[in-house]
Every structure is written in structure tokens, then in C-alpha cells.
Amino acid sequence: MESLKKIIGQIAGLWGKWSMVQRIILVGIVIGVLAGIVALVSVSSSPNLVSVINAPIRDEDDRDRIMMRLSQEGVRAVVSPTGVIQVQDEATARRMRGILFREDLIPQGTDPWAIFDRERWTITDFERNVNLQRAIRQMVTDHIRALDDVDNANVTIVVPEDRLFASEQNPVTASVIITPKPGSDIVENRRKIEGIHKLLKFAIEGLRDENIVITDHTGRVLNNFEGLAEWDRLTRIDRENRMIRQLEAQYGALIFSALKSTFSEDRVRNLNIRITMDMSQRTMQTTEFYPITMRPRTPGLPYDDSILLESIPRSTAESTTSWEGTGFIPEGPVGVEGNVPPAYRDMSNMFGRVNQETLRNNFEINERNIQEEKSPEINRVTVSVDIDGTWRIRYD
């Protein structure tokens, strides 16, 4: 206590000896230190945001598509002044990365290392390679486990040593074993498997499609996309049948309601409707020629004063050839026969007249190319209904 009083007395003595300028400087230093402490406490207490992609997205359209997709998932995201999209925690960031990979929303040209945000620091080259492979494997595993349809995942990555000749270089391989969550359709959903497939290619440099194997916990290969072609065909057929049934139910309800209002409800029975649809995709391409509008119609006039031309001239080419008289073939000296072939010698001193005129005009017309895809298309609608025809006459 005595020491504190002594320090306070010394400060009071110095304060009395200082000039006004020195006192103002001291007060300013104390205020600056207190402001720095308050700012440090406020920054440290603010929530830490995690980057979904640790790289700025310059294109506004790509950034808006990503923000809209995050909003559909109910994720609150912010864009930093540098253009980096951030979310609240790492688990949400991993889950959103998986969705962006699956739906091809990652902007083209984005650095794959920036997506996975790996730090590669070590002492020796061997330790650096080991830590790099471990970081890649752990990061890919965490991203796959963050997907909503995956309960657990085990990732194995083999990166061979570099060889002198490319023909002797072994390829980079990756295998993934996933355990689906109960009720998930990831085993049959091709898009979700393709999302994991693309995630592996983004994360591992030099990895090719043929060297990626994705299986479930039972050992069934999931990324055999050629084998899934038949499943996709059956899925498409089932989707088309559901569309036909929905149309039949919709049309049947409308027809049944109209008949009930006309014939009363107790007389209409057994309405059957069948719709035949053409589900094949057809592309029709049409070329249409139409006149050129030189002057549009004046608004408000009771008649059409527009000027239309079928075509307008674009270029003109003229060619004229005229020849008249005899052809003169010079001979050699007197007594010496000229060096002229017999065929041309026979044409000597013959009279002739040639007159040729060519005129070519090129015109420009309006042309419109229309490409139209038709699918699906209703070919026939068949309806049958039973209406009670038994009448009973009532007398007044």
C-alpha cells in the first residue's frame, strides 16, 4: 500500500512539473492504448467465418449462383470485400463444397488447392510428400463425410514416385468406400456419385477417371457409369409413366366434374381415360425467308403505309467480250515457211465475229433459322364413361 502511495505521489509530482503540451501528449497516449485494447477485444470476440472456397470469385454471375444455392440450403453466407464467400463453421463449409462440386457450380479456372485450403510446410522433401498425401486424404475424407447422404467414408490415395521416363510412370490411383445413411439414394443416384468423382479429381493432381474406384460398404462399384446407363433408362421410363398418370388424373377430374354438372352426380359412372404420348426427343429446324421492312407502319394511321421489299441489291458484276475481223498470223522470211502449227495455219485469214455480254446481280433477302425441340407430345386421348340412361317420368 505504501509503495502504491509512493508511485501515485511521484506521478503527481511529475504531473505538476510537466507543461501543458506534455500533459496532452500523455493523455493522448493513454487514450490510444485503451482504444487499441477495446478493438482487440472486440475482434477476438467476433465469430470466425470459414471460407467455402479460399479464393476470390470475381465473376458476379458465378457468385450470385453460389449464393442462391447456399440460400436454398438455408445457409447464411457473406461475401468478404475481396470476393471470398464465407459461412459460419467448417462443417457447413464442407457440406456446401460437396453440393457445389456435385452441381458444377465451382467456377472454371478456380485453383483446386484453394478449394481444399491445404498448407504444405515441412523440413525435408520426404516429410513434405508424406504430409501432403496425408493432408489430401484427410481433407477429401472430411468433405465426403460432410455430405448429407454419407454416414462414413474411407479414402485411399496412392501417389507413386516420379520416374525418369513417362512410359515407366505409374498412375495416381484413388479408392473410396462409403457407407450410405439409412434412406439415402446415393447408391442409385448417378449425379451424387459423379459429385464425389469430381471432388476426387479436383483434390488429387494427375488423377484420371479410369483410376478412380468408388464402392459402397458391400463392395459394389458405384462409379461404373456405363453400367448405370440401363438404370438411367429405367428411371426415365418410370418418370415418363408418372407424368402420363398425372395428366390422366388431371384430365379425368375435369371431365368428371363437367359431366356431373350436366347429368347430375348419381348418373355418371366409371370414367376411364387413357393418354398416349410420344416421349421421343425430336429436333425440327426450319429456314424462313421474309421480306425486308424498309419503313415500318406509322402508328395511328387507319391504313398500312409500310414499305416492304422482297430483296435489295447487294452486288453487280458485268463482263463484255467483243471480237470482229480476221486473225493475222505472221509468217517467216520470204521463201521460208512460218513456225505455225497446221491447225492454226488453216484458220488464217478467216473472218469471224464474237460478242459476249454477262450481267450478274446478287440480291440480299431476310432469312430466319428456327430450331425447335418437341418432347413430349400428346398423340391421342381416349375417354370412356358410363352414364345412367334409365329415366322415370314424374307426373304433376
Side-chain angles (χ1 to χ4, degrees), residues 11 15 18 21-39:
I11 294 175
W15 182 265
W18 285 351
V21 176
Q22 292 175 333
R23 293 177 182 177
I24 293 174
I25 293 174
L26 179 61
V27 171
I29 293 174
V30 172
I31 293 175
V33 171
L34 293 177
I37 294 173
V38 171

Side-chain angles (χ1 to χ4, degrees), residues 99-113:
I99 293 176
L100 297 180
F101 273 114
R102 185 178 66 199
E103 300 184 4
D104 289 332
L105 294 178
I106 300 296
Q108 294 184 358
T110 304
D111 186 10
W113 302 104

Side-chain angles (χ1 to χ4, degrees), residues 82 319 351 354 382 396:
T82 59
S319 176
F351 290 92
V354 177
T382 305
D396 187 357

Side-chain angles (χ1 to χ4, degrees), residues 317-323 354-361:
E318 294 185 3
S319 176
T320 302
T321 302
S322 180
W323 176 78
V354 177
N355 187 11
Q356 179 181 357
E357 294 182 1
T358 303
L359 177 62
R360 181 181 295 111
N361 292 325

Side-chain angles (χ1 to χ4, degrees), residues 3 6 27 33 40 75 144 157 159 269 293 335 340 348 384 391:
S3 60
K6 185 177 180 180
V27 171
V33 171
L40 181 63
V75 176
I144 296 177
I157 302 172
V159 181
R269 298 285 188 276
T293 302
V340 178
S348 177
S384 64
W391 294 78

Side-chain angles (χ1 to χ4, degrees), residues 257-388:
S257 176
L259 292 178
K260 282 183 177 180
S261 62
T262 303
F263 296 99
S264 73
E265 183 174 357
D266 57 345
R267 295 185 55 198
V268 182
R269 298 285 188 276
N270 302 329
L271 175 64
N272 297 318
I273 182 171
R274 180 175 179 81
I275 298 177
T276 303
M277 300 184 65
D278 183 7
M279 295 293 181
S280 60
Q281 294 184 353
R282 294 180 299 168
T283 302
M284 300 179 61
Q285 188 170 0
T286 306
T287 301
E288 179 182 348
F289 299 96
Y290 58 98
I292 301 173
T293 302
M294 301 300 295
R295 186 179 68 185
R297 179 176 179 176
T298 303
L301 289 180
Y303 58 90
D304 187 2
D305 63 340
S306 60
I307 299 177
L308 303 178
L309 296 179
E310 296 181 355
S311 62
I312 57 177
R314 182 172 183 176
S315 61
T316 301
E318 294 185 3
S319 176
T320 302
T321 302
S322 180
W323 176 78
E324 184 176 357
T326 179
F328 177 74
I329 301 177
E331 298 288 345
V334 179
V336 179
E337 197 171 335
N339 190 12
V340 178
Y344 289 96
R345 188 182 300 114
D346 294 340
M347 296 175 59
S348 177
N349 300 324
M350 293 182 62
F351 290 92
R353 178 178 296 177
V354 177
N355 187 11
Q356 179 181 357
E357 294 182 1
T358 303
L359 177 62
R360 181 181 295 111
N361 292 325
N362 295 325
F363 292 88
E364 193 71 27
I365 59 176
N366 276 343
E367 179 180 352
R368 182 188 296 118
N369 293 321
I370 303 174
Q371 186 171 359
E372 182 181 6
E373 292 186 359
K374 291 187 177 181
S375 175
E377 183 179 3
I378 297 177
N379 291 338
R380 184 176 60 182
V381 179
T382 305
V383 181
S384 64
V385 62
D386 295 336
I387 299 179
D388 185 7

